[in-house]
């Protein structure tokens, strides 16, 4: 693209963004004009990595919290007229803070010197992940964003770009730590709302708010494209996945009646999610893929029909690597390599290494070519794999649900597949906490040695018993039927790479006025934010929830 074309494109995007903001202001006039009580509490929206569509959703939250007596503050990376206009469309008195402006030159220099000292003492870049300072998970946050930037599974100590990026990001992390500590000391919010909460610099704001006693909430997309997830965090739960169930909710689920009809409805729901392509549809996971009969899959992948089959469900090697729980291995790459090493040593089973299909979507979103990073990594470590170990690439034509009739075992660190396969009696071996491990339906080794021993004898492990299957299905029901809250009064659209332009990003299906407080989505959310301390917002209240077969939710 030439310089002239680039300038014209930027101008068109700016005009479209300004037009979108004006339209949003017109739509939200009734909400903005509503009389609000004097503010008694404050809410901070952390928008360091925001885009217009998500800002519109948060502006609806801000406008309704304003009617509940909240003052709105928004933390941005730098001044951003369109984003500020979106928030002021619903909360005209909103204040804006800017991270870049809040960190002075002296602060940056001091942070860089501290980062250089830390780097000098590290035995290797991987060791940084364990770094915590005053409770801030500096290492996790820094390593996660640097891996994401380079799209690699592990940083290379000998690569000067990796070392420079780590140093620069570490300095930003330390500077942000000081910034949020000052911010909370000067004007601590009652509530802080996040979308991104794991990468530097958002991770440091999240940690600071958690340790500062702020009521911290994250919202994010759900597997269903028409739903959102809302989760509250504290010092004990900050490492949990957004879809992890609280102990209180898990206890209530175990006490629920569960019938054969519920069993059948849940199995049908899982099948329909995959077959329809609705599952994680915003990431297009099953686009262009077909459900194929098990015998055909075995022939396509060249499996030995006389052996059982174990499937290694790979994670994206560089995505949210250190966000959740504790892992047996240093990173997703090391887990994959060591799991395949153990698989090679156990020819009693067929082994399939399934590359995560989201790699295709992630490459499109990043504007980068599809690289089979997993295959390249395994080739570097093992050369040619033996016949009993196969790779299923990200762009395979085989729909993931086809593998449910092929798999006798599954392996993951903490992926969604670990709560799905057990619903069909298929044992899953995990290598990390923070999501569903310890709930009684997965095999959760406590050490690398125990993990290797399990894989060595995995072919001897029987299918799950009825009690374990019941626990798996109750967990699935709670996590993926009750936790996702349907969007009814609005719809968030998430086209790939769309951060600006003529698309509105959010469409309203309900008049934007005080009556939003009575809706099942935004109304319930604002009540949960302002009047409850429950860890999760549910689509329906759990004590009165209907069995799955009686509900279309």
């Amino acid at each position: 693209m030439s310089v002239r074309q680039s300038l014209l494109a930027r101008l068109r995007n700016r005009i479209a963004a300004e037009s979108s903001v004006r339209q949003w202001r017109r739509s939200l006039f009734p909400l903005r004009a509503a009389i609000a009580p004097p503010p008694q509490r404050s809410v901070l929206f952390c928008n360091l990595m925001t885009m217009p569509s998500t800002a519109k959703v948060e502006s609806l939250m801000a406008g309704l919290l304003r009617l509940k007596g909240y003052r709105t503050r928004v933390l941005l990376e730098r001044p951003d007229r369109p984003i500020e206009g979106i928030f002021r469309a619903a909360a005209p008195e909103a204040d804006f803070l800017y991270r870049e402006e809040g960190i002075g030159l002296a602060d940056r220099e001091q942070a860089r010197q501290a980062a250089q000292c830390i780097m000098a003492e590290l035995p290797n870049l991987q060791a940084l992940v364990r770094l915590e300072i005053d409770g801030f998970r500096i290492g996790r946050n820094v390593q996660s964003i640097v891996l994401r930037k380079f799209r690699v599974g592990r940083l290379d100590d000998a690569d000067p770009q990796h070392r420079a990026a780590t140093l620069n990001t570490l300095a930003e992390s330390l500077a942000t730590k000081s910034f949020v500590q000052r911010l909370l000391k000067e004007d601590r919010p009652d509530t802080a709302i996040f979308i991104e909460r794991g990468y530097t610099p958002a991770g440091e704001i999240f940690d600071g708010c958690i340790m500062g006693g702020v009521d911290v909430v994250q919202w994010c997309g759900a597997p269903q494209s028409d739903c959102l997830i809302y989760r509250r965090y504290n010092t004990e739960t900050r490492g949990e996945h957004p879809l992890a169930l609280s102990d209180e909710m898990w206890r209530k689920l175990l006490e629920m009646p569960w019938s054969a009809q519920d069993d059948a409805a849940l199995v049908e729901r899982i099948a329909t999610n995959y077959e329809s392509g609705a599952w994680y549809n915003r990431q297009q996971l099953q686009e262009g893929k077909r459900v194929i009969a098990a015998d055909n899959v075995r022939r396509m992948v060249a499996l030995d029909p006389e052996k059982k089959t174990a499937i290694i469900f790979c994670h994206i090697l560089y995505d949210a690597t250190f966000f959740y729980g504790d892992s047996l291995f240093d990173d997703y790459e090391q887990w994959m390599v060591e799991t395949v090493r153990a698989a090679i040593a156990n020819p009693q089973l067929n082994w399939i290494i399934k590359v995560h299909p989201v790699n295709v979507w992630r490459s499109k979103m990043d504007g980068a070519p599809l690289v089979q990073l997993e295959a390249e990594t395994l080739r570097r470590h093992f050369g040619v794999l033996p016949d009993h170990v196969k790779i299923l690439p990200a762009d395979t034509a085989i729909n993931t649900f086809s593998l449910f009739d092929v798999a006798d075992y599954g392996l993951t660190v903490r992926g969604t597949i670990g709560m799905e396969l057990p619903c069909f009696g298929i044992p899953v071996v995990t290598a990390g906490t923070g999501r569903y491990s310890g709930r009684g339906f997965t095999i959760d080794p406590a050490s690398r040695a125990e993990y290797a021993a399990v894989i060595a004898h995995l072919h001897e492990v029987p299918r799950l018993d009825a009690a374990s299957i019941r626990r798996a299905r109750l967990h699935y029901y709670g996590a993926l039927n009750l936790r996702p809250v349907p969007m009814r009064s609005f719809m968030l659209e998430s086209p790939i790479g769309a951060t600006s332009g003529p698309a509105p990003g959010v469409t309203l299906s309900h008049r934007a006025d005080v009556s939003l407080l009575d809706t099942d989505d935004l109304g319930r959310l604002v009540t949960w934010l302002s009047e409850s301390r429950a860890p999760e917002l549910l689509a329906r209240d759990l004590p009165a929830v209907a069995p799955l077969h009686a509900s279309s939710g």
Side-chain angles (χ1 to χ4, degrees), residues 95-219:
D95 296 324
F96 294 88
L97 310 169
Y98 311 110
R99 191 191 73 93
E100 277 191 354
E101 294 182 2
I103 301 175
L105 291 177
D107 297 323
R108 291 190 181 280
E109 180 57 31
Q110 183 179 4
R112 187 167 189 84
Q113 290 176 4
Q116 289 172 334
C117 291
I118 291 171
M119 292 283 289
E121 296 176 0
L122 289 176
N124 52 59
L125 291 178
Q126 278 66 45
L128 180 64
V129 74
R130 296 187 289 273
L131 177 66
E132 288 196 14
I133 301 176
D134 301 330
F136 285 77
R137 298 170 298 175
I138 301 293
R140 289 187 183 214
N141 300 338
V142 170
Q143 278 257 16
S144 294
I145 191 65
V146 177
L147 286 178
R148 180 74 177 79
K149 175 183 178 181
F150 288 103
R151 296 166 61 88
V152 296
R154 171 165 283 219
L155 297 178
D156 183 353
D157 287 292
D159 189 321
Q161 289 186 318
H162 287 191
R163 294 194 67 85
T166 300
L167 174 62
N168 293 337
T169 308
L170 178 56
E172 282 297 316
S173 175
L174 296 173
T176 304
K177 169 183 176 292
S178 298
F179 165 77
V180 70
Q181 288 174 320
R182 289 195 304 271
L183 173 66
L184 295 174
K185 186 176 181 180
E186 294 167 2
D187 190 359
R188 185 177 70 88
D190 296 280
T191 301
I193 297 177
F194 292 77
I195 304 173
E196 175 54 54
R197 53 107 168 177
Y199 292 122
T200 294
E204 289 73 21
I205 306 298
F206 179 83
D207 282 345
C209 288
I210 287 281
M211 292 183 296
V214 178
D215 181 28
V216 174
V217 169
Q218 182 190 20
W219 69 280

Side-chain angles (χ1 to χ4, degrees), residues 156-289:
D156 183 353
D157 287 292
D159 189 321
Q161 289 186 318
H162 287 191
R163 294 194 67 85
T166 300
L167 174 62
N168 293 337
T169 308
L170 178 56
E172 282 297 316
S173 175
L174 296 173
T176 304
K177 169 183 176 292
S178 298
F179 165 77
V180 70
Q181 288 174 320
R182 289 195 304 271
L183 173 66
L184 295 174
K185 186 176 181 180
E186 294 167 2
D187 190 359
R188 185 177 70 88
D190 296 280
T191 301
I193 297 177
F194 292 77
I195 304 173
E196 175 54 54
R197 53 107 168 177
Y199 292 122
T200 294
E204 289 73 21
I205 306 298
F206 179 83
D207 282 345
C209 288
I210 287 281
M211 292 183 296
V214 178
D215 181 28
V216 174
V217 169
Q218 182 190 20
W219 69 280
C220 58
Q224 304 93 321
S225 59
D226 63 345
C227 296
L228 294 173
I229 298 291
Y230 305 93
R231 177 66 194 267
R232 178 173 270 119
Y233 289 97
N234 56 37
T235 53
E236 295 180 355
T237 63
R238 63 174 174 165
E240 293 183 357
H241 191 279
L243 277 171
L245 303 181
S246 67
D247 290 343
E248 178 185 358
M249 183 175 178
W250 179 235
R251 177 181 56 78
K252 290 181 178 180
L253 284 167
L254 291 176
E255 294 172 353
M256 280 179 52
W258 191 256
S259 68
Q261 286 179 293
D262 293 320
D263 270 333
L266 186 137
V267 169
E268 177 63 25
R269 176 183 291 274
I270 296 174
T272 300
N273 285 338
Y274 278 102
E275 292 170 351
S276 68
W279 210 226
Y280 286 102
N281 185 51
R282 70 183 186 282
Q283 296 175 335
Q284 304 175 344
L285 295 195
Q286 304 304 323
E287 185 176 88
K289 302 182 189 299

Side-chain angles (χ1 to χ4, degrees), residues 520-537:
D520 287 336
D521 51 0
L522 287 170
R524 283 176 60 84
L525 169 62
V526 170
T527 298
W528 178 72
L529 288 170
S530 61
E531 300 176 18
S532 171
R533 286 297 176 266
E536 51 264 294
L537 176 63

Side-chain angles (χ1 to χ4, degrees), residues 462-481:
R463 289 179 62 84
L464 298 181
D465 60 23
S468 298
I469 294 173
R470 178 181 183 274
R471 293 173 77 89
R473 292 178 176 179
L474 285 170
H475 183 277
Y476 185 99
Y477 177 65
L480 296 174
N481 190 68

Side-chain angles (χ1 to χ4, degrees), residues 27 73 251 254 258 260 272 430 457 542:
S27 298
R73 307 181 78 199
R251 177 181 56 78
L254 291 176
W258 191 256
T272 300
T430 71
H457 298 278
L542 188 58

Side-chain angles (χ1 to χ4, degrees), residues 419-433:
M419 67 174 77
E420 293 174 321
L421 289 181
C423 293
F424 296 83
I426 301 169
V428 169
V429 183
T430 71
T433 65

